[in-house]
Amino acid sequence: MTASQHAAAMGAPTDMVRCPIMPTYGPPSVQFLRGEGSWLWDRDDNRYLDLLSGLAVTSLGHTHPAVATALAEQSQRLLHVSNLFGTEHNGPVALTLDRLLGGGGQVFFSNSGAEANEAALKLARKFGGRGRHVVISAYGSFHGRTLATLHATGQPAKHEAFQPLPEGFRHVTWSDLDELEAAIDDTVAAVLLEPVQGEGGVNPATAEYFQGVRRLCDERGLLFMVDEVQTGLGRCGRWFAHQHFDVVPDVVTMAKALGNGVPIGACWARAQVAAVFEPGDHATTYGGQPLATAAARAVLQVMEDQDVPARATRAGALLSERLGALDHVRTVRGLGLLLAVELDVDGLGATAGQVAALLLSRGVVVNAVTPTALRLAPSLLISDEEIDLAVDAIGAALADLRAVPREPLP
Ligand SMILES: Cc1ncc(COP(=O)(O)O)c(C=O)c1O
C-alpha cells in the first residue's frame, strides 16, 4: 500500500492525500488549522488538548500573544538581510542565552537542532585539530538527521540505508563511564550527550554520570558538548537540564523552544572554544535573521517573566504524581515537563502507539516515544485545570481499553 493509499484508508481528507509530499512521515490522520495556548483545532473545528507541543517546541503554548505581536511587527519592519550586516535582535538574544548558561560564552545561530549540532561538531573538529576529530556519543541518543548528526545519533538502525556516513563518530553505552573512558584515545575531540535522552525514550542522565563525563573530559582535554535541543529553555525545570547535574559544559546546543514554533537554533560555546572559529569557517543564510530572532527575543522575555523553569518543576511534579496513580501506568519518568508514561501494555492489550491513536481520536495529543511509553511535553504554561483534563482523559482511555477484551499482544 502506498503512503497516500494508507492515508486515504486512515480517513485523511482527500486534498491531504493528493499532496506531492515525500513519504518521510507516516500519513497524517489530522490536519490542524489553529491553536491557542494548550489547545489545537482541526479543519472540522474539533478541539484537542495538546500535550506534545509539536515535540517540545511550543513551550509557551500556541500563538502566544507576545510572540505573535513580535512577529507581526518585525514582518512589517524588516524580514531579512544577510549576516554580512548587523541586525537588531541577535545580540540581545545571544546575551540572554549566555546569561542563562552562566556567562563567558558566544553563540552561533542556526535554523534547527541538527544545524546547531553541526556547528558543535565543526567546532569540535577545529578545536581538536587534524587527526583529533572523533566525537563520542551514546547509544539511544538522537542528534538530528543531517549525515553527520545522523552518525552522531546512536541508533544504528537509522544509519543503515545511508552508509557510508561521515567518518569520526563512536558510540558507547548510555550512562556507562567505564565504557566511555575505554573509548577515549588520541583521536577523540569531544563527547556529545543529551541530559535527558528524548527521542530515545525520555531517559534522564544522573548527576554522577554527567559529573564523571566532565571529569574525564577535563583529564583528557576533550570538549563536553551537551545537546539541549529538546531539553533546553525551562522544559526540564532548569533553564538547561544539565544545570540539574552541577556541571558546566564547553558547548551547549538548543533549538525547539527558542522560537516557540519559528525555526531557530543556537550553538553556545565557552569563549575559548568559540574563538577557534574564524570568519568563513561556518555560516548559514538564515541563522539569526531578524524574524526568527524577534520571535526568540519575545520568547525569552516571556519565559523569564513567567519563570518557566519553576512552572515546569511544579506542573511536572503534579502531572507525574497524578499520572503515576492511574491504573495500567507502571512508572512515570523524566524531568520537569518532559515525561514518559510507561504503560502496562500487556495488561492493556494495546501498544503505546494504539493508546496515542485512541487519545487523538478523543481530542488529546501525545506521542508514543517507545512501543510501551507515551511522551508528554505540554506547554510550560499549562494550567492546573488542563492537567486535570489531561489526566482524566488518559485515565479514561486506559480504563476503556482494559474494558474491551482483546487478544494478547504478539
Ligand atoms: C536532542 C535532539 N537533538 C537534535 C534534534 C534535531 O533537531 P531538528 O529536528 O530541529 O533538526 C532533536 C529533534 O528532535 C533532538 O531531540
Side-chain angles (χ1 to χ4, degrees):
M1 195 190 278
T2 64
S4 56
Q5 284 166 337
H6 185 193
M10 297 267 298
T14 41
D15 53 343
M16 284 165 68
V17 173
R18 272 193 245 105
C19 290
I21 291 174
M22 291 194 193
T24 57
Y25 289 90
S29 52
V30 179
Q31 192 181 52
F32 291 119
L33 295 192
R34 187 161 70 82
E36 193 183 320
S38 295
W39 297 92
L40 286 165
W41 283 263
D42 69 12
R43 49 194 281 154
D44 298 318
D45 220 26
N46 298 309
R47 194 171 80 135
Y48 297 74
L49 180 57
D50 184 4
L51 301 179
L52 194 58
S53 307
L55 295 167
V57 168
T58 52
S59 281
L60 300 179
H62 296 283
T63 56
H64 191 285
V67 183
T69 304
L71 283 170
E73 284 177 359
Q74 189 62 42
S75 72
Q76 288 167 0
R77 209 157 58 242
L78 182 68
L79 269 186
H80 185 80
V81 290
S82 162
N83 279 321
L84 297 172
F85 308 100
T87 55
E88 193 180 343
H89 307 297
N90 53 4
V93 173
L95 274 171
T96 304
L97 293 176
D98 186 48
R99 174 166 50 78
L100 298 178
L101 279 159
Q106 293 181 341
V107 172
F108 176 87
F109 286 110
S110 65
N111 310 293
S112 67
E115 286 181 49
N117 285 337
E118 285 279 347
L121 296 172
K122 284 180 75 174
L123 262 181
R125 287 197 173 198
K126 191 134 191 245
F127 186 84
R130 274 203 184 254
R132 192 159 170 245
H133 62 281
V134 171
V135 173
I136 301 180
S137 54
Y139 285 114
S141 62
F142 187 85
H143 299 293
R145 297 287 194 158
T146 61
L147 288 175
T149 59
L150 179 60
H151 206 179
T153 292
Q155 300 188 42
K158 289 189 164 63
H159 299 163
E160 264 334 291
F162 304 101
Q163 298 287 6
L165 291 169
E167 199 267 329
F169 296 91
R170 202 169 285 167
H171 302 107
V172 292
T173 304
W174 170 244
S175 215
D176 186 330
L177 268 182
D178 294 337
E179 201 178 311
L180 176 63
E181 185 165 15
I184 298 172
D185 60 23
D186 291 345
T187 65
V188 175
V191 177
L192 172 66
L193 296 173
E194 295 157 271
V196 180
Q197 288 192 331
E199 300 305 301
V202 188
N203 306 311
T206 61
E208 191 191 9
Y209 181 47
F210 259 48
Q211 287 167 13
V213 176
R214 178 69 275 178
R215 199 176 51 249
L216 275 179
C217 287
D218 288 342
E219 285 167 10
R220 307 295 288 267
L222 313 183
L223 298 181
F224 185 10
M225 312 202 296
V226 177
D227 179 342
E228 295 257 13
V229 166
Q230 185 157 162
T231 51
L233 296 162
R235 163 77 39 206
C236 293
R238 296 286 169 93
W239 284 109
F240 292 90
H242 70 263
Q243 292 166 340
H244 280 288
F245 308 140
D246 216 12
V247 292
V248 179
D250 301 298
V251 177
V252 177
T253 57
M254 68 199 83
K256 293 182 183 277
L258 185 54
N260 208 56
V262 175
I264 179 169
C267 172
W268 172 95
R270 265 194 311 113
Q272 296 93 318
V273 178
V276 303
F277 271 169
E278 295 167 274
D281 273 343
H282 198 46
T284 167
T285 299
Y286 292 119
Q289 60 96 268
L291 192 71
T293 47
R297 191 173 182 175
V299 166
L300 291 170
Q301 184 69 57
V302 176
M303 284 186 159
E304 292 207 86
D305 290 349
Q306 298 280 335
D307 194 359
V308 288
R311 292 184 74 123
T313 300
R314 192 191 149 276
L318 183 63
L319 188 55
S320 64
E321 186 196 319
R322 296 215 38 214
L323 288 168
L326 292 177
D327 283 346
H328 306 294
V329 169
R330 284 193 190 282
T331 51
V332 181
R333 61 175 178 270
L335 275 180
L337 275 175
L338 180 59
L339 298 173
V341 184
E342 195 66 43
L343 301 170
D344 167 21
V345 291
D346 293 328
L348 283 167
T351 62
Q354 290 166 325
V355 175
L358 176 63
L359 283 164
L360 186 66
S361 73
R362 294 178 172 193
V364 178
V365 182
V366 297
N367 94 319
V369 72
T370 70
T372 58
L374 301 175
R375 171 174 35 185
L376 271 56
S379 162
L380 306 184
L381 305 184
I382 191 169
S383 68
D384 287 2
E385 296 71 43
E386 288 163 345
I387 288 177
D388 287 345
L389 286 172
V391 175
D392 290 350
I394 294 170
L398 298 181
D400 291 351
L401 274 169
R402 191 63 195 102
V404 181
R406 42 186 91 222
E407 297 293 311
L409 292 173

